[in-house]
Amino acid sequence: MSSTAKLWLLWVMVTLVAAAVLLTGMFYGGPSRATLLIGETTSGHHQIELACGACHTTPFAGPEAIEKTCQGCHADELKAAKDSHPLKKFRDPRNVDRLDKLAANKCITCHTEHRADITNPMGVTLPTDYCALCHQDVGKNRPSHEGLAFNTCATAGCHNYHDNRALYEDFLEKHAGEPDVKAKPVVALNTEKIEIEAAGEPLTTAAAADAPAAHRGGADVMSEWLATSHAAAGVNCSGCHAQDQKSAEAIAENWIAKPNHKTCATCHTMETATWLQGKHGMRLADNMLSETAGLYGMFQNRPLTPMRTEFARAPMQSKLPHSELTCTSCHGAHDFNTVKAQTDSCKSCHDDEHTRAYEGSPHHKLWLAESSGAAAKGSGVSCATCHMPRAWMEDESGYEEFLAANHNQNANLRPNEKMIRSVCMNCHGLGFSIDALADKELIKRNFDGRPSARIESIDWVMKRVKERGSK
Amino acid sequence: MLSFSKSLIASAVAGGCIVCGAAVATVTAKGVEYKDVADMLIAVMVADRTVYTKKVVQRLAAKQKVIKASEHYDDDKALPLPAQMFRFGAEHVADNTDKFSYSLLSLWPINKQNAPRTDAEKAGLKYVADNNGKNYYGEETLGGQKYFTAVYADVAVAKVCASCHNDHKDTPRSDFKVGDVMGGVVIRIPMAN
């Protein structure tokens, strides 16, 4: 063989090997996958970007299949948000011409992934004046809106595409003129006692602990456990470390040193389910595989690892690299201190202006007063009060509702008007809440001060009410 | 929010307000005429609207006074208005089948999304408004699909239909009176090619 032919052969071989490596990375995962990302993912999905199959269920799945996966994770949230533009609005054939202008029956029309160059807040990849496509003639019925720029509809604090629970006209009218701080500023749901189903006899002494000798914790562990509502509700060591085991031998044999979120989910179903939807737990949701089994055993099913601070895009403390985020990261392993979990745990990772400004803020002072027992239950404002508030949530069957802390921090965060009804309006008037949430600097100062912005939506509504009255 | 007395009287009358075709449908081995299918569907819709109005809203709101009816029924912990109930049914049908679809529309809509959009809707709503007691049947092509489109008048059978609409802040027309056609139910059935 001539040397040219040899070179050609070598070139072909190298190309084939390289292609094979890349293709297997694409189909099965593994180390080469990260290099294959077709563009930076949005902040909503970056944590699971290497679990390609979460959205691209099959390698050549079309847009329809992707849509299904959007719904799979986000449908409940949209329902809870009383989505103003639900899919069902666009099924009627009378709207087909509208769909030609904007396929509003598809999530990916407005939210295209892997397009960092055109991604706006909320993961919107359309130019921000998209409202004009259908609501061009809004000025006809709302003279006040005549001449307003369409890129301000969803950015001026007045409207959202999906969630308008706190922004619709009659709601603004009903809550116009409310004081900045209400007469009885208390978060109502935080005053409610959550009933524990299937609670057993309280366990009150370390002697009652059923951990086998080899795994028995020290006195500190025992006293932490005895102080919890776990012990008070009869949840023994085996309740978490060896579930469903009765005899001492069975407990010893099936002992799990570090129970994971699935163990917690046995009792804390809603908390875990929502945690898996949010940024803290989404990497651990079902079917988040960074590698899929195949190719004659060369690849195995490998779930994503738990979240770590160095994966985050939001500013984090640098002192905690490689510590994995699980239930116990915030709740502790045996003391399950909910007071700590509501502020200190957050601060142990998060390191942004808003977090740093919490200490000493008015909300923090209220929280100190409540947690020291000086002020009424529900009057304090911890990180969790706003970011993981309690909510009534439907279980999977859709037949029952449970009151639980919503551990999906995102369910109540963006757009931030989502918080108005679930949180702010427990204590503040609607107008004040809207203004405060529109003031970025005030948010950075963790609401230490007064809103400098004034969103005029309530004024406009009241002007319209007045005009109507004088007609 | 809508006032109590208005909504409950409305509900008392909403049931009987759709003028229905009385023709006899023939079901043969070959199939059913599009027109007959539409007439059958409107009969079910009228029945459901009447039952909801009378057995739920009228009974619980007007008579037994245990609950109100309100546009913001969730926030106000109230019953949905009959018109909303009608739309929720239509949306539910759209979730489950594309064999037909329907909506409650008007040439003078409170909710601007209930304004006619297609030519057949415009023609149909005008026809039932101008021709007392008659239904409109037509065909139209939307997005490349041919539809049989029927429009049935929705009439202000009581003062309160008119007064609630007349007083509503979003109404484009405030001179409705009893007996006026206020809008229509549009039923659409995709036609085989």
Side-chain angles (χ1 to χ4, degrees):
Chain A
M1 215 188 290
S2 76
S3 64
T4 325
K6 276 185 196 156
L7 272 175
W8 269 110
L9 193 65
L10 185 70
W11 185 83
V12 169
M13 301 280 277
V14 168
T15 309
L16 282 177
V17 168
V21 167
L22 291 176
L23 276 174
T24 51
M26 194 169 117
F27 288 118
Y28 300 104
S32 70
R33 190 175 257 187
T35 58
L36 290 167
L37 273 176
I38 55 168
E40 197 183 321
T41 44
T42 60
S43 67
H45 294 145
H46 77 94
Q47 296 193 13
I48 52 168
E49 65 188 10
L50 292 184
C52 307
C55 302
H56 307 275
T57 41
T58 58
F60 298 103
E64 268 83 44
I66 293 184
E67 282 295 317
K68 267 207 191 123
T69 65
C70 307
Q71 293 291 332
C73 291
H74 295 283
D76 287 350
E77 212 180 316
L78 285 167
K79 206 169 128 200
K82 302 231 159 67
D83 189 4
S84 308
H85 293 90
L87 271 184
K88 58 186 172 207
K89 278 212 171 137
F90 298 96
R91 295 233 170 87
D92 199 317
R94 63 195 297 265
N95 285 323
V96 282
D97 61 320
R98 284 188 167 145
L99 295 182
D100 283 345
K101 277 191 258 172
L102 183 78
N105 55 351
K106 298 207 169 56
C107 308
I108 54 177
T109 302
C110 306
H111 303 283
T112 310
E113 253 306 347
H114 303 290
R115 291 300 309 273
D117 52 329
I118 53 164
T119 303
N120 292 311
M122 264 35 90
V124 175
T125 43
L126 278 184
T128 48
D129 58 356
Y130 55 86
C131 306
L133 293 170
C134 289
H135 301 281
Q136 187 82 62
D137 61 352
V138 61
K140 222 166 70 189
N141 298 303
R142 289 282 187 289
S144 56
H145 288 51
E146 196 75 65
L148 296 178
F150 279 98
N151 60 4
T152 62
C153 311
T155 54
C158 296
H159 302 285
N160 287 320
Y161 183 83
H162 293 295
D163 188 343
N164 290 290
R165 280 173 295 175
L167 302 174
Y168 70 83
E169 187 176 9
D170 289 1
F171 190 76
L172 298 178
E173 180 182 342
K174 188 166 158 189
H175 295 276
E178 283 178 345
D180 292 357
V181 180
K182 293 188 175 170
K184 196 168 163 258
V186 162
V187 181
L189 290 181
N190 285 353
T191 64
E192 280 187 40
K193 196 167 156 44
I194 293 183
E195 297 300 332
I196 304 155
E197 279 178 62
E201 286 298 309
L203 301 163
T204 52
T205 63
D210 65 0
H215 299 294
R216 232 176 145 73
D220 51 338
V221 169
M222 286 302 162
S223 69
E224 277 177 359
W225 164 65
L226 284 169
T228 59
S229 39
H230 278 157
V235 179
N236 213 321
C237 310
S238 63
C240 303
H241 290 281
Q243 285 191 312
D244 302 326
Q245 307 303 326
K246 296 278 177 301
S247 69
E249 297 82 61
I251 291 174
E253 212 166 286
N254 294 288
W255 189 265
I256 298 168
K258 288 189 177 208
N260 65 13
H261 64 278
K262 291 193 175 144
T263 307
C264 306
T266 329
C267 298
H268 305 282
T269 323
M270 297 310 294
E271 288 86 347
T272 316
T274 48
W275 182 73
L276 290 170
Q277 290 162 359
K279 288 200 174 172
H280 290 144
M282 66 197 289
R283 286 171 64 89
L284 298 181
D286 287 342
N287 302 321
M288 292 295 168
L289 301 176
S290 64
E291 192 179 309
T292 322
L295 217 65
Y296 312 104
M298 272 171 68
F299 293 91
Q300 313 303 326
N301 275 342
R302 271 187 231 286
L304 294 175
T305 53
M307 182 60 183
R308 299 207 302 249
T309 49
E310 65 266 34
F311 297 159
R313 286 192 187 166
M316 295 285 156
Q317 303 272 8
S318 55
K319 61 180 185 240
L320 288 163
H322 312 308
S323 54
E324 298 195 324
L325 206 174
T326 62
C327 303
T328 52
S329 311
C330 300
H331 290 282
H334 291 100
D335 61 341
F336 297 103
N337 182 335
T338 49
V339 172
K340 221 170 86 186
Q342 287 193 54
T343 52
D344 295 352
S345 298
C346 315
K347 286 188 284 184
S348 70
C349 292
H350 288 271
D351 190 25
D352 49 83
E353 283 182 88
H354 177 76
T355 308
R356 285 196 300 265
Y358 175 68
E359 212 162 304
S361 70
H363 285 156
H364 180 231
K365 284 176 192 150
L366 291 167
W367 175 244
L368 288 179
E370 178 186 338
S371 43
S372 70
K377 220 172 164 221
S379 64
V381 186
S382 68
C383 307
T385 305
C386 303
H387 296 292
M388 293 192 188
R390 283 182 172 187
W392 284 98
M393 291 177 281
E394 266 182 18
D395 70 347
E396 262 179 36
S397 73
Y399 286 110
E400 263 189 286
E401 281 196 16
F402 294 96
L403 179 63
N406 188 342
H407 280 60
N408 173 0
Q409 41 51 247
N410 231 31
N412 206 44
L413 190 63
R414 282 203 187 91
N416 68 11
E417 292 93 2
K418 269 185 184 306
M419 297 183 152
I420 294 177
R421 292 181 62 160
S422 54
V423 183
C424 311
M425 283 183 72
N426 281 287
C427 305
H428 296 285
L430 176 61
F432 181 85
S433 308
I434 292 178
D435 292 348
L437 287 170
D439 186 340
K440 292 203 174 71
E441 290 306 312
L442 185 62
I443 294 173
K444 280 188 196 158
R445 295 199 303 276
N446 214 308
F447 304 105
D448 197 353
R450 293 192 48 80
S452 62
R454 170 80 176 163
I455 305 299
E456 290 176 288
S457 46
I458 295 184
D459 304 338
W460 287 17
V461 168
M462 295 321 285
K463 196 167 156 240
R464 190 159 182 255
V465 170
K466 228 172 110 193
E467 283 165 7
R468 206 161 70 222
S470 64
K471 245 200 250 162
Chain B
M1 198 179 110
L2 299 157
S3 79
F4 176 44
S5 59
K6 275 181 196 163
S7 31
L8 59 90
I9 310 170
S11 51
V13 294
C17 61
I18 294 167
V19 181
C20 206
V24 180
T26 20
V27 182
T28 65
K30 268 168 96 185
V32 189
E33 295 286 320
Y34 288 115
K35 175 179 167 301
D36 290 338
V37 175
D39 288 350
M40 290 171 182
L41 289 171
I42 191 76
V44 177
M45 288 168 202
V46 171
D48 286 351
R49 200 173 175 191
T50 309
V51 170
Y52 175 67
T53 304
K54 290 197 169 161
K55 295 259 154 86
V56 180
V57 187
Q58 183 189 350
R59 181 173 64 90
L60 294 173
K63 207 162 122 207
Q64 301 173 352
K65 297 190 180 11
V66 292
I67 189 167
K68 297 178 191 183
S70 156
E71 202 171 329
H72 307 295
Y73 56 90
D74 199 4
D75 280 353
D76 297 339
K77 300 185 176 61
L79 296 170
L81 301 177
Q84 289 175 306
M85 200 66 180
F86 194 80
R87 190 175 66 227
F88 299 151
E91 288 170 352
H92 204 86
V93 165
D95 277 344
N96 290 302
T97 181
D98 46 18
K99 292 205 165 79
F100 73 102
S101 62
Y102 63 99
S103 40
L104 181 63
L105 307 180
S106 172
L107 294 168
W108 314 276
I110 289 179
N111 179 344
K112 298 301 167 278
Q113 301 305 322
N114 297 333
R117 303 200 65 245
T118 72
D119 290 341
E121 285 174 356
K122 286 174 197 159
L125 287 174
K126 192 162 176 342
Y127 181 86
V128 297
D130 294 344
N131 297 277
N132 199 359
K134 284 202 188 143
N135 309 324
Y136 170 91
Y137 302 99
E139 289 175 14
E140 63 185 329
T141 302
L142 301 170
Q145 168 68 49
K146 205 160 143 195
Y147 292 91
F148 179 83
T149 301
V151 182
Y152 302 85
D154 200 27
V155 177
V157 285
K159 243 161 80 183
V160 71
C161 302
S163 63
C164 180
H165 277 247
N166 288 345
D167 295 346
H168 198 282
K169 64 178 187 303
D170 292 327
T171 192
R173 179 176 159 182
S174 36
D175 63 348
F176 283 121
K177 49 187 191 325
V178 178
D180 283 353
V181 171
M182 296 181 67
V185 175
V186 177
I187 298 180
R188 214 171 250 122
I189 304 166
M191 299 174 84
N193 288 327

